[in-house]
Amino acid sequence: VGSRFVWDVDGFTMPAQDLVVNGDYEKHLYYITYFLDGVYYGMQSYTYEDEITYLVPTIPDGMVFSGWDVDYELMPADHIEARGTTAVQPAS
């Protein structure tokens, strides 16, 4: 989960002697796509189990932000959509 094995050899013709082929694991990138009031706000990329730091939207004076509707602490092995809304700040 979260990575794939990648060989370091692209197409080649087999030589007449021994050949050493190496490979390594490559981490997948997963994305958080943000929508604020139904409109695309931004995107972040993480690898599996990275600690997530959510975007903090710039909100006009007199408005309040509901927060994002997801609360993962670590990035899952999947893409995420985070949605939030703004509203007029109630009068004090």
Side-chain angles (χ1 to χ4, degrees), residues 39-65:
V39 178
Y40 173 83
Y41 185 78
M43 182 181 288
Q44 293 175 302
S45 62
Y46 290 93
T47 58
Y48 175 62
E49 293 190 329
D50 279 350
E51 186 174 341
I52 296 172
T53 303
Y54 292 96
L55 291 180
V56 177
T58 303
I59 304 300
D61 289 340
M63 302 291 283
V64 292
F65 174 57

Side-chain angles (χ1 to χ4, degrees), residues 3-49:
S3 61
R4 67 185 180 113
F5 193 80
V6 180
W7 297 104
D8 71 352
V9 176
D10 290 326
F12 68 95
T13 302
M14 185 66 188
Q17 68 271 3
D18 290 344
L19 177 68
V20 176
V21 177
N22 296 306
D24 203 354
Y25 286 95
E26 179 180 89
K27 291 185 175 186
H28 290 290
L29 282 180
Y30 298 100
Y31 297 93
I32 303 176
T33 306
Y34 295 88
F35 296 92
L36 184 59
D37 293 327
V39 178
Y40 173 83
Y41 185 78
M43 182 181 288
Q44 293 175 302
S45 62
Y46 290 93
T47 58
Y48 175 62
E49 293 190 329

